[in-house]
Amino acid sequence: MINFAALRWKNLLSTGNQFTEIKLNRSPSTLIIGENGGGKSTMLDALCFVLFNKPFRNINKPQLVNSINKKNMLIEIEFQTGRKSYKIVRGIKPNVFEIYVDGELINQDAAARDYQKYLEESILKMNYKSFTQIVILGSASFTPFMQLPAFTRREIIEDILDIQIFTTMNTVLKDKIIEIKDKLTAADSRLEVLKQKATLQKEYVDTLEANKEKRSDEIQSRIFFGERAIIQFQSLVATLEGEKITHEDASAALGDLTSKQKKLDQFKTKFSTQLRDLQKEVAFYEGTDECPTCRQGIAHDHKETIVSSRQEKIQELSSGMEKLQKEFTKLEELIAENDVLSEQISGLNKEIITHNNEIIVQQRLIQALNLELNDIATKTADIDGEKDKLKTFAKDVLAQNSEKANLNEEKHYMDAVSTLLKDTGIKTKIIRQYLPVINKLVNKYLTAMDFFVQFNLDEKFDETIKSRHRDDFSYASFSEGEKQRIDLALLFTWRTIAKMKNSVATNLLILDEVFDSSLDNNGTDYVMALLDTLGEETNTFVISHKGDQLFDKFRSLIKFEKKNNYSEMVV
């Protein structure tokens, strides 16, 4: 478990040249308040940047440096894991990145990227995505778990369940499988050469015992046919290479289909969002006669003008969606065509490799035949000595067969292990064991927040939500307040699972303007009741504008104020 102790920063955003420090483990519950622009959320950017080299909000890294001082931005964080104490120091202008363990600086010979990888994989045991799902629930630059793609959801859950090691093992295993395949190819080649040598040696001994001249003619004949076979194979390889280039050119002509598909997906999302917003606006004006803000009546002509305008736009967008669908259809045909070309190219590559191996075998055979021919021409061989050589070749063949059998057995085991380490293997079984627990916890927290739905994540991390008359809904079907409760339930669930696994568990929990967005008064009370159940081991920070409503619900208060263009903390 990670126990965060202190976070300090200076020259970050609106903060001046003096360190601002927050004791992260001082109080079980802390309310952070302040005016807009006062620096309340700066701690989120400081926390994410010092740990992961990226701010929490959508801010370019150069913009993090205070625009007045323009240098010496520095962030430090202290925490403990197990019996070790860590201190991370990161800054800009000048660039600084240091990791201290029990007061000693870790060797910085490795590149900064490797240094960051070591921090995430060996110390924190989680990446930025997992951290922001378990520790921070914010309103700015935060993507809720339910809005993440399936592969990112899986990555986060694998981090929480501490099963990323299987992904690492699978990567290592893939390299070993490639290595053993190369060894098998080499072993096959050596075995073929040894068999050829043994065959030639036996034939050579027979020749010596029978007719040396006849054997010489046979060898020359075999060399001739071997050379002719090489020419034929080379011709086949040239033909296949030509076909391969033609297919590759055809595949290249299709262009970057993945990029095209991504752009079409972006257009589809954009059109869908605009269409949904326009339909909501039309529904609003058609069903509303009085302005909800000023309580004045809305003129009928004004409503008709707006509705007519929006319906025209809806028609334009619908037409655009139809054209977009046609483009999707064309793209699917191109992808199918490209898949066929890829399969053909793969088949041609296999044939080329096979023929090249046959050429190598023939060349080695011709070389051996030429050596034997020279022996026959220059000296009278000792038949007994050649028989001994034949026995040696036979032993070499047996030994090579044994080596190949061992390699095949090793590859068989690796293939079996590979099946276990794939996403559909042991990780899925582990996830399958935890899914009922995850779903049970989510529903427990939803019920605690007075949100009575039946939430369920499947093995593909797609959600099913049953509500009302047991109708099926998705996350997108609910209001922003209801989504907020689902996000909170998932956050509490990940923390509970992490604590059970002791994998990425931490004492720190930060809620950024959660109470200011979509939660009503009842929702606020339910969330506060949940926070009270976290216990003394959790240090919760809530950033909010509702200081007057929440003041008495927290044990400590931090206020940020802007003085002379610099943000200052008032405890």
Side-chain angles (χ1 to χ4, degrees):
M1 179 173 176
I2 303 175
N3 284 293
F4 289 98
L7 175 68
R8 62 186 70 89
W9 64 87
K10 66 178 182 178
N11 289 317
L12 172 65
L13 297 173
S14 61
T15 309
N17 200 36
Q18 299 298 318
F19 271 115
T20 297
E21 180 172 346
I22 294 180
K23 296 294 184 182
L24 299 176
N25 59 357
R26 184 174 68 87
S27 173
S29 62
T30 301
L31 177 64
I32 300 177
I33 61 174
E35 298 295 330
N36 285 334
K40 300 187 302 301
S41 299
T42 302
M43 72 173 292
L44 300 177
D45 296 312
L47 182 63
C48 291
F49 184 76
V50 72
L51 293 176
F52 301 102
N53 196 30
K54 61 195 312 186
F56 181 71
R57 293 175 289 184
N58 288 328
I59 304 173
N60 293 328
K61 286 198 286 186
Q63 295 176 328
L64 290 173
V65 184
N66 181 278
S67 59
I68 299 175
N69 297 332
K70 298 182 179 179
K71 62 180 180 178
N72 295 328
M73 190 205 85
L74 194 66
I75 308 173
E76 300 177 357
I77 190 167
E78 297 176 5
F79 59 89
Q80 294 81 39
T81 60
R83 297 182 179 180
K84 292 185 177 181
S85 297
Y86 292 90
K87 179 181 177 181
I88 313 298
V89 180
R90 200 187 298 263
I92 299 177
K93 290 186 179 182
N95 290 328
V96 179
F97 181 25
E98 297 173 341
I99 302 175
Y100 294 86
V101 182
D102 295 330
E104 296 291 331
L105 178 65
I106 294 180
N107 191 311
Q108 290 183 302
D109 291 341
R113 185 176 297 178
D114 293 336
Y115 212 45
Q116 180 65 33
K117 183 178 180 181
Y118 174 77
L119 172 61
E120 293 183 16
E121 294 183 357
S122 301
I123 298 177
L124 298 174
K125 305 292 180 65
M126 58 180 154
N127 57 26
Y128 175 83
K129 293 177 182 176
S130 300
F131 182 82
T132 53
Q133 292 294 326
I134 296 170
V135 176
I136 302 174
L137 181 62
S139 58
S141 304
F142 169 76
T143 304
F145 180 85
M146 297 309 303
Q147 295 181 24
L148 294 171
F151 72 90
T152 305
R153 295 184 186 185
R154 184 182 189 97
E155 181 182 320
I156 290 168
I157 291 179
E158 286 182 3
D159 268 346
I160 295 170
L161 297 181
D162 200 18
I163 57 177
Q164 283 281 28
I165 183 62
F166 295 118
T167 301
T168 304
M169 290 169 63
N170 194 33
T171 301
V172 173
L173 183 63
K174 286 178 180 177
D175 293 337
K176 289 190 175 182
I177 288 176
I178 291 173
E179 181 182 344
I180 202 167
K181 283 182 177 178
D182 291 340
K183 287 182 179 179
L184 274 170
T185 301
D188 281 333
S189 181
R190 287 196 300 270
L191 182 60
E192 185 63 28
V193 171
L194 287 172
K195 285 181 178 179
Q196 292 284 355
K197 284 183 177 181
T199 301
L200 288 173
Q201 186 65 18
K202 184 178 183 306
E203 292 175 355
Y204 182 49
V205 170
D206 292 341
T207 300
L208 292 175
E209 291 177 338
N211 189 333
K212 189 167 64 175
E213 291 181 3
K214 181 180 178 182
R215 178 57 184 161
S216 178
D217 292 339
E218 290 176 354
I219 291 174
Q220 288 176 340
S221 176
R222 293 190 63 182
I223 290 174
F224 171 76
F225 286 113
E227 290 174 343
R228 192 166 69 176
I230 288 174
I231 292 172
Q232 291 173 343
F233 287 136
Q234 288 174 337
S235 176
L236 283 172
V237 168
T239 301
L240 293 171
E241 288 284 2
E243 292 181 19
K244 176 185 170 185
I245 291 172
T246 300
H247 290 323
E248 287 175 340
D249 290 343
S251 178
L254 295 177
D256 187 356
L257 300 181
T258 301
S259 177
K260 291 179 182 178
Q261 187 176 34
K262 184 177 180 180
K263 288 181 180 179
L264 289 177
D265 286 334
Q266 290 174 346
F267 278 122
K268 184 176 181 180
T269 301
K270 181 178 179 181
F271 284 7
S272 297
T273 301
Q274 293 177 351
L275 190 60
R276 182 172 61 252
D277 291 343
L278 288 169
Q279 289 171 341
K280 285 183 178 178
E281 192 172 352
V282 169
F284 169 79
Y285 279 103
E286 287 180 342
T288 305
D289 294 323
E290 181 181 278
C291 176
T293 303
C294 62
R295 299 300 180 184
Q296 293 184 0
I298 301 174
H300 182 71
D301 291 344
H302 179 63
K303 287 172 57 176
E304 284 190 345
T305 300
I306 292 178
V307 169
S308 177
S309 172
R310 300 305 184 264
Q311 285 178 339
E312 286 179 3
K313 291 183 180 179
I314 289 172
Q315 188 172 1
E316 290 175 3
L317 286 173
S318 298
S319 176
M321 288 290 280
E322 291 177 1
K323 293 179 181 179
L324 195 60
Q325 186 57 47
K326 291 179 181 178
E327 290 298 320
F328 268 111
T329 302
K330 291 179 183 178
L331 183 60
E332 288 173 355
E333 292 174 354
L334 290 177
I335 290 173
E337 181 181 346
N338 192 54
D339 290 342
V340 172
L341 288 172
S342 296
E343 186 175 348
Q344 290 173 341
I345 290 170
S346 177
L348 289 170
N349 278 330
K350 290 180 181 179
E351 287 189 60
I352 289 170
I353 291 171
T354 299
H355 292 325
N356 280 331
N357 286 337
E358 289 170 344
I359 289 172
I360 292 171
V361 170
Q362 290 297 326
Q363 288 173 338
R364 290 177 177 175
L365 176 59
I366 289 172
Q367 186 179 11
L369 288 169
N370 280 320
L371 290 174
E372 185 181 350
L373 192 60
N374 288 335
D375 284 342
I376 292 173
T378 57
K379 65 180 181 180
T380 303
D382 181 359
I383 294 179
D384 291 335
E386 296 304 327
K387 287 183 177 179
D388 290 338
K389 287 183 182 180
L390 179 59
K391 291 178 182 178
T392 300
F393 285 143
K395 290 179 181 178
D396 289 343
V397 170
L398 291 174
Q400 191 62 40
N401 268 323
S402 177
E403 180 184 346
K404 181 181 175 182
N406 290 335
L407 288 171
N408 275 320
E409 184 178 5
E410 187 176 352
K411 181 178 179 299
H412 172 74
Y413 288 128
M414 286 186 178
D415 288 339
V417 174
S418 177
T419 301
L420 290 175
L421 292 179
K422 289 179 180 177
D423 285 345
T424 55
I426 191 169
K427 289 194 292 186
T428 294
K429 290 189 177 180
I430 293 174
I431 290 171
R432 191 180 295 149
Q433 292 294 321
Y434 275 92
L435 275 178
V437 179
I438 291 172
N439 290 327
K440 183 177 180 180
L441 285 170
V442 174
N443 287 303
K444 169 188 169 183
Y445 290 125
L446 289 173
T447 301
M449 289 184 284
D450 202 35
F451 189 26
F452 298 99
V453 296
Q454 186 64 36
F455 181 94
N456 185 70
L457 278 178
D458 61 22
E459 293 176 15
K460 294 181 179 179
F461 308 104
D462 293 325
E463 80 276 13
T464 301
I465 308 175
K466 292 184 179 292
S467 178
R468 300 168 193 164
H469 301 292
R470 313 304 289 175
D471 297 326
D472 287 344
F473 290 87
S474 66
Y475 175 81
S477 305
F478 293 96
S479 69
E480 293 305 314
E482 291 170 327
K483 289 179 183 177
Q484 188 89 66
R485 297 189 188 192
I486 294 174
D487 295 339
L488 284 165
L490 285 166
L491 175 67
F492 288 128
T493 297
W494 301 147
R495 292 183 65 87
T496 303
I497 295 294
K499 189 173 183 180
M500 290 167 57
K501 291 289 296 179
N502 198 29
S503 52
V504 290
T506 172
N507 65 309
L508 190 59
L509 172 61
I510 305 176
L511 304 181
D512 180 28
E513 299 185 4
V514 169
F515 295 99
D516 305 353
S517 52
S518 304
L519 288 180
D520 55 19
N521 291 332
N522 288 335
T524 299
D525 292 338
Y526 294 136
V527 174
M528 288 304 305
L530 272 179
L531 292 177
D532 290 339
T533 65
L534 295 178
E536 298 290 328
E537 294 181 357
T538 300
N539 302 103
T540 303
F541 290 82
V542 173
I543 302 171
S544 178
H545 294 289
K546 296 182 177 180
D548 53 341
Q549 301 177 31
L550 301 174
F551 179 79
D552 60 342
K553 300 180 185 293
F554 291 83
R555 296 193 189 181
S556 62
L557 175 71
I558 295 176
K559 183 177 182 180
F560 282 91
E561 294 180 351
K562 207 72 169 293
K563 295 181 180 179
N564 298 323
N565 291 324
Y566 289 105
S567 176
E568 295 183 3
M569 184 178 73
V570 181
V571 180

